[in-house]
Amino acid sequence: MLKAIPAGAGVLGEQLQVAVEELAAWMREYGDVAPHPSQDVDLGALEAATADLRSRLRDNYPFHHPRYAGQMLKPPHPAAIIGYVTAMLVNPNNHALDGGPATAAMEKEVVAQLAAMFGFPPAPGHLGHLTSSGTIANLEALFVARETHPGKAIAHSADAHYTHARMAHVLGIEAVAVPTGPDGSMSLEALADLLASGRVGTVVATTGTTGLGAVDPVHEIVPLARENGVRVHVDAAYGGFFRLIADDTPDGVAAAPFAAIADADSVVIDPHKHGLQPYGCGAVLFRDPGVAAHYLHDSPYTYFTSDDLHLGEISLECSRAGAAAAALWLTTRLLPLTSDGLGEVLRPGRRAALAWAGLIEDSGELALYQPPALDIVTYLPARARLSEVDAVSAAVLAQGMALPLDESLHLATYTVGGASLAARGHRVEADVDAGRILRSVLMKPEHEAAVPDLHAAVLALLREV
Ligand SMILES: *Cc1c(COP(=O)(O)O)cnc(C)c1O
């Protein structure tokens, strides 16, 4: 089985070198073009400027390192880099087939793979495309929701990504936040009451909230929504690829909510989160290909090279990097969207989250905020008052980053209120309205081996502050 290209191996440089040469040869087949002197730059100046660039880039956090256990960030897979840069040498635009037939075809192929992963029927039984982000993908899903359920509100959980309330505002639709239960997922009782009011046209379920990685019960939300004639959109921007390991096994995640995505009306996933892609790669998929009607428009300056469907005819964005499609296409050639393929990249992070959660629970010095549903762990210093929890968490965060580079620890924080702590059984006096706890996204497979170190490093910082 093909696994990751070893990091740091010369493969990346070699493949890019071959790409530059081969594509230049293809370009020359059209006849030589002399570069225009206006674009000439001094070689010495280029070297100096790029050296500056490399040095400026050191002002960053070590997203590649397992001791970076903060936000949902990691460098792309080398295959994604090769795919991206290779296609970028041509620079196709996936807005229309006129802008790049090859990468438009690749986009349709990867979208079909994403649809198959979620259990959507093969084309023409679904419609979908890549987007430049999860935000735009969700905007498109909510736009279609508004068109199919005019005048109705959308309901999302109180812990859903803030983009839903914002995009509802942009679209001029009402957004209602449904309270969450003690595991951070949408309360079904509260949703049932809200749907009974008839106000809501679409429910947004999140499989993997950005803060806690909580998974809304899509399998229970779908039947409830259907009874009420309500549409279901699933925001799987973060958690979508966990579908590959949603098998109820010890190092997998809960099967039912992910299996039920197949019954939703639309779903959003961010390959630039767990799909090993560089930023600029989201996706939206619809179960009903008929929603294309809502996108209908004509353009006097595009869609002329072919009568086939142009991606711009089914998306709100115009120019989009064909390179993003090539990167995802190449990555899935090597790490297919299967349990044995990309699934094997997600399982170690899941195991890391479970292992660290266990260490935290046993420590006495830290408390687990709630059990992780995916690979995001949230925890707090064992302190009596929320103001102390906040101050100590902030100090651990700051002091971890201030350590020498080869010992530095990079965490994130998450703001909670007294009621959320109490709902999870934490006896913390809420002397302030809200306070920060600690949060770690363990999305790199390398996190698994690093768990004992991460835990020891947090405890060491805790003892110092
Ligand atoms: C990241 C995320 C988004 C926003 O996606 P971007 O790609 O950052 O624009 C939306 N919803 C969820 C659940 C996310 O995790």
Side-chain angles (χ1 to χ4, degrees):
M1 198 181 354
L2 262 165
K3 289 294 173 189
I5 301 167
V11 184
L12 184 60
E14 270 165 38
Q15 290 300 312
L16 293 178
Q17 179 76 31
V18 174
V20 170
E21 284 162 16
E22 277 194 14
L23 287 168
W26 165 73
M27 288 172 190
R28 279 195 303 272
E29 288 176 32
Y30 286 85
D32 279 332
V33 194
H36 192 271
S38 62
Q39 298 186 81
D40 284 355
V41 293
D42 178 74
L43 251 185
L46 175 67
E47 274 169 22
T50 50
D52 272 354
L53 170 68
R54 291 190 297 271
S55 128
R56 295 275 298 256
L57 285 173
R58 296 176 66 97
D59 179 16
N60 247 313
Y61 302 107
F63 307 125
H64 66 286
H65 201 282
R67 272 197 326 275
Y68 182 88
Q71 305 285 15
M72 31 188 71
L73 276 163
K74 61 177 174 180
H77 190 277
I81 299 173
I82 293 165
Y84 199 100
V85 178
T86 301
M88 196 186 61
L89 295 169
V90 180
N91 202 23
N93 183 338
N94 272 18
H95 171 222
L97 290 167
D98 329 333
T103 47
M106 289 177 205
E107 176 163 334
K108 287 177 190 169
E109 288 172 41
V110 293
V111 166
Q113 291 171 39
L114 292 170
M117 176 178 80
F118 286 124
F120 278 23
H126 71 261
L127 189 80
H129 57 274
L130 299 182
T131 61
S132 22
S133 69
T135 298
I136 298 297
N138 276 304
L139 169 67
E140 296 207 10
L142 297 185
F143 157 69
V144 168
R146 185 191 71 183
E147 299 302 292
T148 57
H149 293 70
K152 298 279 187 170
I154 61 151
H156 57 77
S157 98
D159 282 1
H161 197 283
Y162 62 74
T163 196
H164 297 290
R166 280 182 109 190
M167 292 303 135
H169 180 63
V170 168
L171 290 165
I173 50 185
E174 186 194 359
V176 188
V178 182
T180 50
D183 64 354
S185 73
M186 186 186 278
S187 155
L188 273 182
E189 294 74 45
L191 179 65
D193 288 349
L194 177 64
L195 294 192
S197 74
R199 247 165 99 194
V200 171
T202 299
V203 182
V204 177
T206 304
T207 51
T209 57
T210 314
L212 301 172
V215 177
D216 287 341
V218 184
H219 53 299
E220 292 172 299
I221 290 172
V222 169
L224 192 59
R226 297 298 176 231
E227 276 166 34
N228 290 275
V230 164
R231 187 177 174 84
V232 179
H233 168 59
V234 178
D235 182 359
Y238 183 71
F241 288 106
F242 281 92
R243 176 69 185 82
L244 301 173
I245 62 164
D247 54 9
D248 291 327
T249 58
D251 63 355
V253 301
F258 286 94
I261 296 175
D263 303 319
D265 296 290
S266 56
V267 59
V268 157
I269 183 167
D270 261 352
H272 67 206
K273 285 186 182 142
H274 259 299
L276 309 173
Q277 299 306 297
Y279 287 114
C281 194
V284 60
L285 291 104
F286 298 95
R287 259 292 288 273
D288 174 12
V291 304
H294 302 299
Y295 285 95
L296 261 187
H297 70 293
D298 205 357
S299 161
Y301 32 76
T302 34
Y303 313 143
F304 53 80
T305 50
S306 156
D307 290 335
D308 287 352
L309 180 73
H310 296 254
L311 289 161
E313 294 178 281
I314 52 157
S315 61
L316 294 182
E317 287 176 276
C318 297
S319 296
R320 265 190 310 107
L328 184 56
W329 182 88
L330 190 68
T331 308
T332 61
R333 277 280 294 265
L334 301 164
L335 293 164
L337 304 185
T338 57
S339 174
D340 290 348
L342 188 64
E344 288 293 316
V345 182
L346 273 85
R347 278 190 205 276
R350 171 67 180 148
R351 288 194 292 266
L354 292 171
W356 199 2
L359 292 177
I360 290 167
E361 277 196 307
D362 294 342
S363 75
E365 292 166 84
L366 289 167
L368 187 65
Y369 179 62
Q370 65 172 54
L374 302 179
D375 58 359
I376 300 176
V377 185
T378 42
Y379 47 103
L380 52 144
R383 292 291 190 282
R385 280 179 282 277
L386 185 50
S387 60
E388 295 165 345
V389 169
D390 176 78
V392 174
S393 299
V396 167
L397 179 90
Q399 294 187 17
M401 290 200 290
L403 290 169
L405 290 193
D406 63 349
E407 291 169 35
S408 64
L409 180 69
H410 302 260
L411 309 171
T413 56
Y414 181 72
T415 302
V416 301
S420 308
L421 284 162
R424 289 161 175 83
H426 295 287
R427 289 159 203 259
V428 176
E429 185 199 325
D431 60 335
V432 287
D433 286 345
R436 285 162 291 180
I437 63 168
L438 292 163
R439 168 173 169 268
S440 285
V441 179
L442 303 179
M443 72 186 309
K444 291 186 287 280
E446 293 82 7
H447 277 131
E448 186 178 13
V451 161
D453 276 356
L454 289 169
H455 185 65
V458 173
L459 289 187
L461 288 166
L462 202 57
R463 285 164 196 160
E464 265 171 44
V465 302

